[in-house]
Amino acid sequence: MVSYLVHAVLPISILLWGVTTVFSDTCSENRGYPGVPGIPGDHGANGKDGLKGQKGDNGNKAEPVKGAKGDRGMPGNPGRAGIKGNIGMEGPPGPQGPKGQKGAIAGVPKNMRSFFSYKRSPQYRQNVIIRKPIEFDVLTSPNQDGDSLTNGEFTATLRGTYFFVYHISAASTACLNIKKNAEILVNLCDITQGVLVTSGSVVVKLEKGDKVSVQAFQNSNIISKDADSTFTGFLLFQS
């Protein structure tokens, strides 16, 4: 059975070889055009990671390199003012400055002047009349051009602020006041066993026509023979 199959297959194989040879020779004479490329196949599976490589050699150590100094830039804009600081301690006094030039003398116009200075002459009695102006009738400087007293009383010709002062020499008692019209401005009284010298002063505002005088409000022994008693006043400033 086996021998029969071998003999049967062998002639068939020889026949196919001959057919193939004849077909091959025929195609070489009338070769056709190449066919259309086939559809690409699917991607294959990802490959596995390869083996870890060896560690590389150490690199050279980096050294910082300082460059050349650049050119100076333009100045920036001024910044905002800071918060005001606390007041510092007062410093020591500075050195004295040089002496200034002497100022020019500026005279006060006559229509703005008002002043007087009188003393009491020896002709009056020592005891003065109470609540009456004390008589001052002699100019302390005859050459001065000032206001006049009438029976020891000053009358304002200018409206303003005035200064008045009296200096009285008396024996034992001097109780005096300075009056503006009927108003008592100051009230002073000195009493001693011997001779005394007393004074009083006041600054007062006067209207034109106001009268100022020195008066005794108690018995006062004014001395006029060996010691002068004076009454002086002047305008400080007009108002």
Side-chain angles (χ1 to χ4, degrees):
M1 187 62 175
V2 176
S3 177
Y4 173 74
L5 290 174
V6 172
H7 289 293
V9 173
L10 182 57
I12 296 170
S13 297
I14 293 172
L15 179 60
L16 291 173
W17 180 81
V19 174
T20 304
T21 300
V22 174
F23 179 78
S24 177
D25 291 340
T26 304
C27 289
S28 63
E29 294 178 359
N30 298 300
R31 187 179 301 274
Y33 294 103
V36 179
I39 299 172
D42 297 333
H43 291 287
N46 294 332
K48 297 181 179 180
D49 294 337
L51 298 176
K52 184 177 182 181
Q54 295 180 356
K55 184 177 181 182
D57 297 333
N58 294 332
N60 296 329
K61 184 177 180 182
E63 295 292 339
V65 179
K66 184 177 181 181
K69 185 176 180 179
D71 297 333
R72 186 173 183 179
M74 297 292 293
N77 296 326
R80 292 179 298 178
I83 301 175
K84 184 178 180 181
N86 297 328
I87 299 175
M89 297 178 62
E90 184 177 356
Q96 184 176 359
K99 185 176 181 180
Q101 296 180 355
K102 185 176 181 179
I105 298 175
V108 179
K110 289 186 177 181
N111 60 350
M112 297 177 62
R113 299 177 189 175
S114 181
F115 64 94
F116 67 90
S117 183
Y118 278 76
K119 64 183 178 179
R120 180 176 169 85
S121 64
Q123 69 180 354
Y124 293 102
R125 295 178 302 172
Q126 290 184 328
N127 293 328
V128 296
I129 302 174
I130 297 175
R131 297 181 181 86
K132 292 290 183 179
I134 297 175
E135 294 280 355
F136 296 90
D137 57 333
V138 180
L139 285 170
T140 57
S141 178
N143 297 326
Q144 69 180 0
D145 183 18
D147 296 329
S148 300
L149 299 183
T150 302
N151 298 324
E153 192 172 49
F154 168 75
T155 302
T157 58
L158 297 175
R159 180 176 182 269
T161 301
Y162 289 76
F163 173 77
F164 297 97
V165 60
Y166 68 78
H167 294 275
I168 298 294
S169 298
S172 301
T173 305
C175 293
L176 310 170
N177 55 39
I178 300 177
K179 296 184 70 173
K180 168 189 169 183
N181 300 325
E183 176 187 0
I184 297 175
L185 300 177
V186 291
N187 216 15
L188 302 170
C189 189
D190 284 337
I191 299 175
T192 184
Q193 293 181 354
V195 177
L196 61 88
V197 177
T198 185
S199 64
S201 61
V202 67
V203 174
V204 59
K205 184 175 181 180
L206 300 181
E207 299 293 335
K208 186 176 180 180
D210 285 341
K211 299 181 182 297
V212 177
S213 62
V214 179
Q215 300 184 17
F217 61 90
Q218 288 185 14
N219 291 330
S220 299
N221 297 322
I222 307 301
I223 299 175
S224 302
K225 182 177 181 181
D226 298 324
D228 291 328
S229 296
T230 63
F231 181 32
T232 302
F234 54 86
L235 175 67
L236 293 174
F237 52 87
Q238 283 187 294
S239 58

